Amino acid sequence: MSRDWAELERGLRRLLPSRAVVAARQELLAYDCDGLTLHRHQPPLVVLPETTEQVAAVLRFCHENGVPFVARGSGTGLSGGAVAESEALVIATSRMRRVLEVDLENRRVVVQPGVINSWVTRAVAGDGFYYAPDPSSQVACSIGGNVAENSGGVHCLKYGVTSNHVLALEVVLPDGTVTTLGSDLDETPELDLRGAFIGSEGTLGIATAITLRLLRAPQSVAVLMADFGSMEAAGEAVRRVTAAGVLPAGMEMMDRLVIEAVNDYLRGVEGFEEYPADAAAVLLIELDGQEREVVAAAELASALCREAGARQVRQAWQEEERALLWKGRKSAISALGRRFPSYYLQDGVVPRSALPRVLAAIEALSERFALPVANVFHAGDGNLHPLILYRDGEPGVRERVQELGAEILRLCVDAGGSITGEHGVGSDKRCYLDWMYGPDDLATMQLLRDAFDPQRRANPGKIFPTPRSCAESARRVQVLKAEGVELPAEAVVF
């Protein structure tokens, strides 16, 4: 459907301050992709509201004029979820950056969606509190984006993902209605629509105020760094530690490619002690809690790592020393990006017991496709983050990269895992969603979506496979129909 975007721009300027509407071609380039730079689509128009009222006015305008829209936070997502791949209005919440309320007595804080993840802890750290979810991009990613993707992070092994730390959401629905999902209470008797909204990737509306749960800072924290001669030995250490009943706050693993890149990237940074350059894998284990508990857990985890084949285990107890150990892990993607400006990052999940064989299979695929793959991941919960590294100018390389990415996700599903752990489905992985879910499952998900957005104007084309965008999914539908399988009406168009 062809739209008169110049006329729509004039209508939006009547609703918003002039600086809140972005229409200049050179300025729109900043919104043509998210953190997944493999796919780029420049939007026709972008608006930057600052209040719930402005968001509601824009969505009412979209509803009245039949305009699809895409919500966007800081643009750090890695699944193409915040990109307008078809003509749609981009609604960026990056100027909604106010901390609305701090309630330490009830251990909660209310923020606008554009507030940066690390700012939440910064606002309450002086009083002994912190916000647990900590994606690697936490100094740049926004809380609104975290809610949309149900983001995890280093500490999700012990403390869970975003959905475990959101109490309530003020939401603007696609027709412009403002409502509240959840409440300030930990437990309430109604249907958990708050939970349905978190992780819906912008397909149900836009959150404009988010009530977060705060945690007390632990009395004691230790970080262990163990290095290994093989990835298999590091995977065995993960298995032994978790099997022994130790519950780390986080367990992160890096392979040799990542170690080399990080050492090169941080060389010269004051206090940073390079990771062992000859190690095949480095495992970071963070333990927190009461002091005696952490001391005992650190000794046990160190011993188990050595039994699994660790060559050395370093313990860091001081905050500065712990931060330097984590700095390498937090800088891993940036470090790899400096060596390989183009990369394709996946986030499949596998059971911990499958880690060694899946990592070996990824290495074989890397050789088969002649593309280097660096591995840095949340080892404790099996959330892999393989980075496929490539040179963008090489003929046919993008197709090869995407084929390798699909093969890695197929490995994860076949191992009993998932195509995504925290990055979301977006447009990048929608063609693989029906590897995990049948037509009835997908149709049920669409019923929920239609309850919020019957016209499907919120983030159109994302998450669900369609015959138009996914030829393989279309073929699977046709095969099922040819075999006489009765499909729900929704399943045929997904």
Side-chain angles (χ1 to χ4, degrees):
M1 175 181 176
S2 178
R3 294 182 176 83
D4 185 345
W5 285 98
E7 177 61 29
L8 292 170
E9 178 191 343
R10 286 190 286 272
L12 288 164
R13 288 191 185 279
R14 287 192 288 269
L15 296 174
L16 300 169
S18 59
R19 76 186 195 100
V21 181
V22 179
R25 183 176 178 82
Q26 64 272 22
E27 294 176 347
L28 291 172
L29 286 172
Y31 302 91
D32 72 351
C33 71
D34 56 12
L36 181 70
T37 57
L38 193 66
H39 308 299
R40 293 181 180 273
H41 304 276
Q42 184 171 311
L45 203 60
V46 174
V47 294
L48 297 108
E50 298 181 23
T51 66
T52 298
E53 293 72 25
Q54 289 180 0
V55 173
V58 169
L59 291 195
R60 281 194 298 272
F61 178 87
C62 290
H63 180 68
E64 292 164 1
N65 292 277
V67 178
F69 64 90
V70 176
R72 181 184 177 96
S74 295
T76 60
L78 290 158
S79 64
V83 178
E85 61 177 358
S86 57
E87 282 200 343
L89 175 69
V90 169
I91 303 173
T93 60
S94 53
R95 288 184 181 165
M96 301 180 71
R97 292 190 166 193
R98 291 172 54 213
V99 175
L100 300 172
E101 180 185 355
V102 176
D103 180 2
L104 297 181
E105 186 176 2
N106 291 299
R107 299 190 180 189
R108 62 185 183 88
V109 59
V110 184
V111 302
Q112 288 186 306
V115 168
I116 301 303
N117 178 287
S118 62
W119 294 1
V120 181
T121 292
R122 192 186 310 165
V124 298
D127 296 293
F129 291 89
Y130 75 108
Y131 177 62
D134 58 340
S136 294
S137 58
Q138 69 179 137
V139 297
C141 65
S142 65
I143 294 296
N146 293 170
V147 168
E149 304 299 319
N150 196 18
S151 301
V154 167
H155 291 96
C156 65
L157 174 60
K158 183 173 183 178
Y159 293 105
V161 293
T162 298
S163 60
N164 300 109
H165 299 272
V166 174
L167 293 169
L169 299 158
E170 177 186 74
V171 171
V172 182
L173 299 177
D175 65 356
T177 302
V178 180
T179 189
T180 299
L181 308 178
S183 77
D184 294 342
L185 302 176
D186 287 344
E187 300 293 340
T188 53
E190 76 275 10
L191 290 173
D192 186 17
L193 298 178
R194 173 210 61 91
F197 189 92
I198 299 169
S200 60
E201 302 189 33
T203 61
L204 305 185
I206 301 177
T208 53
I210 303 157
T211 303
L212 303 173
R213 185 196 315 274
L214 298 174
L215 298 180
R216 269 286 183 191
Q219 182 187 68
S220 180
V221 181
V223 175
L224 314 183
M225 189 198 76
D227 68 273
F228 299 84
S230 71
M231 290 290 284
E232 290 77 14
E236 174 61 16
V238 172
R239 189 196 68 79
R240 289 188 182 219
V241 170
T242 54
V246 177
L247 181 58
M251 297 182 80
E252 301 288 303
M253 194 185 299
M254 295 170 282
D255 69 6
R256 179 167 288 158
L257 258 177
V258 180
I259 294 167
E260 291 173 355
V262 167
N263 282 346
D264 182 56
Y265 185 69
L266 296 179
R267 189 168 292 125
V269 172
E270 185 179 354
F272 178 72
E273 186 175 339
E274 294 185 10
Y275 296 143
D278 60 342
V282 161
L283 180 65
L284 294 175
I285 304 174
E286 182 168 297
L287 304 157
D288 65 6
Q290 298 297 313
E291 185 173 358
R292 291 177 63 183
E293 171 194 9
V294 175
V295 169
E299 292 306 313
L300 177 57
S302 297
L304 292 169
C305 285
R306 292 189 185 96
E307 290 174 12
R311 303 181 310 170
Q312 60 177 331
V313 180
R314 187 195 313 171
Q315 294 187 6
W317 292 87
Q318 301 303 313
E319 182 176 357
E320 185 177 341
E321 189 181 2
R322 297 197 308 267
L324 286 168
L325 278 182
W326 278 120
K327 190 173 182 64
R329 167 61 183 93
K330 294 283 187 177
S331 304
I333 294 176
S334 298
L336 287 162
R338 189 166 76 166
R339 289 189 168 193
F340 293 84
S342 299
Y343 59 81
Y344 185 50
L345 177 60
Q346 286 292 3
D347 77 316
V349 183
V350 299
R352 283 191 295 261
S353 59
L355 273 174
R357 62 184 174 86
V358 169
L359 290 170
I362 290 174
E363 185 176 355
L365 285 171
S366 171
E367 293 176 3
R368 190 178 113 203
F369 282 85
L371 289 164
V373 178
N375 290 286
V376 52
F377 56 93
H378 308 319
D381 55 358
N383 189 183
L384 305 177
H385 287 77
L387 285 94
I388 303 170
L389 311 170
Y390 65 99
R391 305 290 182 186
D392 200 20
E394 186 182 331
V397 71
R398 289 186 169 217
E399 292 75 15
R400 208 162 85 248
V401 164
Q402 290 181 86
E403 187 179 352
L404 173 53
E407 292 278 355
I408 290 173
L409 294 181
R410 173 60 81 180
L411 274 176
C412 294
V413 173
D414 289 346
S418 166
I419 61 171
T420 179
E422 59 178 339
H423 295 172
V425 176
S427 58
D428 184 54
K429 293 191 277 286
R430 65 187 165 203
C431 294
Y432 316 133
L433 194 65
D434 60 350
W435 291 353
M436 296 179 61
Y437 302 106
D440 287 335
D441 301 314
L442 294 173
T444 301
M445 294 179 198
Q446 289 284 35
L447 287 174
L448 174 63
R449 178 183 184 181
D450 288 347
F452 282 79
D453 181 21
Q455 296 174 327
R456 299 187 184 178
R457 291 208 172 97
N459 214 2
K462 305 297 170 56
I463 302 180
F464 298 99
T466 66
R468 180 177 61 83
S469 61
C470 305
E472 185 180 350
S473 296
R475 285 193 295 271
R476 284 195 283 272
V477 168
Q478 293 306 316
V479 168
L480 289 170
K481 291 174 71 176
E483 292 174 350
V485 177
E486 189 173 338
L487 301 176
E490 290 289 330
V492 179
V493 295
F494 293 108

